[in-house]
Amino acid sequence: MPETQSSRRDPRRRKKQQPVCRTVSQICPPPRRPLTVADIRPGMENERLGVVRDSMLQNPLIVKAELGKPRERSCSLPGIDFNYGLYTRGLDGGVPEAIGHWDVFKQHPTCPHELTRNYIAMNRGAVKAGLVTARENFLYRQLNDIRISDQDDRRVKREVPPLPPNMTFGTLARPSTPFFDLLQHRYQQLWVQEQKATQKAIKLEKKHKVILGKLYETRSSQLRKYKPPVKLDALWHMPHFQKVHPHLDTFPTEADRQRAFQAHREEHAVRQGTLRMGNYTHP
């Protein structure tokens, strides 16, 4: 029986292992110190021939990264007992003293300062008393020394302006975005309508614009429009072909024929060539 029970037990079922507690040095290992001559082994990337000094392994331009290892830092760091930052020594008693009582800041007494004279009030009182000379004003100020108070009573006496009962303080919320107008290209349509209205107004303004004075043509404008007359020579025809009509007519009507010949005669003066038909019509 015990053998059968032991055989039935699952070998994978073992006692739960206790978690391994790691130390602080394992979780946060100390920073890597720079290489030294004693750390160099044969076959390493930083192996050098000749005289080798520790200062050479602290130069970042000379030190090479080892294969499969992070690059060594060239700066030396302080030991484990070194604390980074500023150390503040507690002079206020710490948390117990803060919980035990409440430290109230005591305001230092201010030095009394002399108030400025209210010359407007003193001059007004002297005029009402009938004093106009400098001597009388000086004596009046000695007897009635009026000063300007630091506390402005006008702020207390000023009444608050009446406000409507439904007034809401603060900034107004931004209006919602008109998505339907954006999807329907409403703004584009409005812009096109504005452009059409602007063009229509410009055309009406040009139409109703009054031309002041009369335009006179100069010699230059007349010469620009002048077309020199072209002398047309009769074409030579053989006597026995004069009464023969053409067998091919490429013009649809006689008016088109006359219009084409007229355009040819107008451009005859500026054409080149022997037959005045162009540069490539030489016989």
Side-chain angles (χ1 to χ4, degrees):
M1 290 296 293
E3 294 179 357
T4 57
Q5 292 179 0
S6 61
S7 62
R8 291 179 181 178
R9 289 178 182 177
D10 191 358
R12 291 177 295 180
R13 295 180 60 186
R14 296 180 181 177
K15 188 177 181 180
K16 188 177 181 180
Q17 298 180 357
Q18 298 293 335
V20 180
C21 297
R22 296 186 298 174
T23 60
V24 178
S25 60
Q26 294 177 351
I27 298 174
C28 301
R32 300 179 61 123
R33 60 183 179 84
L35 285 174
T36 58
V37 179
D39 299 334
I40 302 299
R41 298 289 183 272
M44 296 180 67
E45 293 289 340
N46 292 290
E47 184 181 5
R48 298 289 185 271
L49 299 177
V51 180
V52 182
R53 300 180 298 276
D54 292 340
S55 60
M56 297 173 61
L57 302 176
Q58 297 178 3
N59 190 346
L61 301 177
I62 299 177
V63 176
K64 298 181 180 180
E66 298 291 341
L67 181 62
K69 295 182 180 180
R71 182 182 292 275
E72 299 285 348
R73 299 295 99 188
S74 301
C75 56
S76 59
L77 300 177
I80 301 176
D81 300 334
F82 179 78
N83 295 326
Y84 293 90
L86 299 177
Y87 180 75
T88 56
R89 294 177 175 83
L91 301 177
D92 54 353
V95 177
E97 186 176 352
I99 297 176
H101 70 282
W102 187 263
D103 191 5
V104 181
F105 177 75
K106 297 180 180 179
Q107 186 177 5
H108 298 284
T110 57
C111 298
H113 61 280
E114 185 179 1
L115 302 177
T116 58
R117 285 186 171 185
N118 193 350
Y119 292 98
I120 298 176
M122 289 189 293
N123 293 339
R124 188 186 304 112
V127 171
K128 289 181 180 179
L131 307 176
V132 293
T133 60
R135 179 64 180 176
E136 292 173 350
N137 275 277
F138 177 76
L139 295 175
Y140 181 83
R141 291 177 184 178
Q142 293 294 331
L143 296 175
N144 302 282
D145 193 4
I146 303 174
R147 301 283 178 172
I148 298 177
S149 177
D150 292 340
Q151 299 179 357
D152 192 0
D153 299 335
R154 291 177 297 176
R155 297 181 181 178
V156 182
K157 296 179 181 179
R158 185 174 56 184
E159 297 180 358
V160 180
L163 299 176
N166 298 329
M167 181 177 181
T168 304
F169 295 91
T171 57
L172 297 176
R174 185 177 65 85
S176 59
T177 304
F179 288 101
F180 292 99
D181 294 344
L182 295 175
L183 295 176
Q184 296 175 0
H185 303 285
R186 178 63 179 171
Y187 298 102
Q188 179 183 358
Q189 297 174 3
L190 294 176
W191 182 82
V192 171
Q193 293 177 3
E194 292 178 358
Q195 294 298 322
K196 289 182 179 179
T198 305
Q199 295 294 334
K200 188 176 181 180
I202 293 174
K203 289 182 179 179
L204 290 175
E205 184 180 358
K206 290 182 178 179
K207 184 177 180 180
H208 296 288
K209 188 176 180 181
V210 180
I211 301 175
L212 301 177
K214 185 179 179 180
L215 297 178
Y216 294 93
E217 292 187 357
T218 60
R219 183 175 178 81
S220 299
S221 61
Q222 293 177 356
L223 291 175
R224 193 181 299 112
K225 298 179 181 180
Y226 176 73
K227 297 179 181 179
V230 179
K231 184 178 180 181
L232 299 178
D233 297 334
L235 299 178
W236 180 82
H237 296 281
M238 296 182 69
H240 58 278
F241 286 126
Q242 292 182 0
K243 298 182 180 180
V244 178
H245 299 284
H247 296 281
L248 182 62
D249 191 3
T250 57
F251 296 96
T253 60
E254 186 63 25
D256 295 336
R257 175 192 296 274
Q258 297 299 331
R259 196 161 42 249
F261 278 106
Q262 183 180 0
H264 175 70
R265 286 193 296 270
E266 291 178 353
E267 297 179 357
H268 190 270
V270 296
R271 290 180 178 273
Q272 297 179 2
T274 307
L275 300 178
R276 296 296 179 180
M277 298 290 292
N279 294 332
Y280 304 101
T281 57
H282 296 284

